[in-house]
Amino acid sequence: MNVDTHLVRLVHDILFREWDPLGVNDDEGAVREYSRYVVGIVQLLRRGADERQVAEHLLRIQENALGISPCDPQQDQKIASRLLAAYEISQRRIRPARSAEELLERYQAGERVFNGSRIETDESGILAGSTLDGLVLRNAFVKLSFQRASLRSADFWDSELKGSDFSQADLRGAKFVGSVLSDTSFKDARLEGAEFNNACCQMRLLETGEFPDS
């Protein structure tokens, strides 16, 4: 994943998950609601805009494009700060996480992409019940407990997840394309819109529209 793709993903995630002036982010079908504004914000960040300029840009989007009156200017300033932090994160080299604790700490600091991580033990169970929406864990090898975690639109493309536990997790819109899911639990998980095509589950490949047994 290159720098540009990383930044676009981070900005999109912040707009939909955190900004969401239309209040639609409970519906994964609306995940692209703010996609048309991502490029403009990315260009603004690249030009070195400060927090005030980014907040003013968000205000104009609401008033001119969405046709609504912003009700909380402080929220726009908070999101502007998050977008500036995302830009700084995107300029760094993507680094795998070495433990569940490190992954959670970096996620909470604003990172989303942890491709290539190898985490085989999680004695603390620290990720259970955590909010990890938009997590990207491609080409990874992990055995973790994500019980009751929120993982909406998470991306586990081509990852080996043997023995991981996603029971009662919110996996709406998540992607497990090409992943290895042997002994992986999805008991009582929310799977609306999740993709499992070509995932290997109990020695067979799942087809488009199929879900693994819980």
Side-chain angles (χ1 to χ4, degrees):
M1 181 177 289
N2 61 34
V3 170
D4 288 344
T5 303
H6 191 187
L7 180 57
V8 166
R9 184 184 286 273
L10 289 171
V11 170
H12 182 275
D13 187 63
I14 291 168
L15 294 184
F16 184 64
R17 302 290 172 199
E18 302 178 41
W19 185 49
D20 188 32
L22 296 177
V24 298
N25 69 9
D26 192 49
D27 178 9
E28 284 302 314
V31 70
R32 300 186 62 81
E33 182 67 40
Y34 309 111
S35 296
R36 74 192 73 176
Y37 312 116
V38 171
V39 171
I41 291 172
V42 167
Q43 292 174 342
L44 194 63
L45 295 170
R46 285 185 186 142
R47 291 198 297 267
D50 60 21
E51 183 177 310
R52 178 185 60 79
Q53 292 169 319
V54 176
E56 288 176 350
H57 184 77
L58 294 174
L59 178 86
R60 288 194 295 273
I61 290 174
Q62 292 169 87
E63 292 181 336
N64 301 332
L66 300 178
I68 61 176
S69 297
C71 58
D72 187 0
Q74 290 186 341
Q75 173 69 358
D76 286 342
Q77 291 180 344
K78 175 183 175 182
I79 297 303
S81 177
R82 287 281 293 112
L83 290 167
L84 288 166
Y87 178 74
E88 293 300 321
I89 288 169
S90 74
Q91 304 309 296
R92 307 171 195 163
R93 183 173 62 87
I94 294 172
R95 297 178 295 116
R98 293 165 293 183
S99 68
E101 290 82 1
E102 179 188 333
L103 188 153
L104 182 60
E105 181 180 352
R106 287 167 56 189
Y107 180 95
Q108 291 175 339
E111 290 190 61
R112 294 295 181 268
V113 183
F114 302 90
N115 294 342
S117 295
R118 186 180 184 91
I119 308 172
E120 300 181 57
T121 58
D122 178 24
E123 296 179 0
S124 67
I126 194 171
L127 300 180
S130 297
T131 296
L132 297 165
D133 297 327
L135 175 71
V136 182
L137 205 58
R138 291 188 171 199
N139 305 116
F141 184 104
V142 300
K143 183 179 180 181
L144 296 168
S145 173
F146 293 103
Q147 286 181 302
R148 305 180 310 283
S150 183
L151 288 155
R152 293 171 61 188
S153 295
D155 187 345
F156 296 95
W157 196 292
D158 283 334
S159 287
E160 188 162 324
L161 304 168
K162 289 181 179 180
S164 291
D165 189 352
F166 292 93
S167 57
Q168 300 180 58
D170 188 346
L171 295 167
R172 286 176 286 175
K175 294 180 174 60
F176 293 87
V177 178
S179 292
V180 178
L181 305 174
S182 302
D183 300 317
T184 305
S185 175
F186 292 91
K187 183 177 175 59
D188 297 327
R190 295 197 65 174
L191 300 175
E192 301 98 302
E195 298 178 23
F196 290 90
N197 46 302
N198 292 321
C200 181
C201 184
Q202 312 304 350
M203 302 301 293
R204 72 183 186 89
L205 292 181
L206 299 180
E207 298 180 0
T208 300
E210 276 193 290
F211 296 98
D213 296 330
S214 60

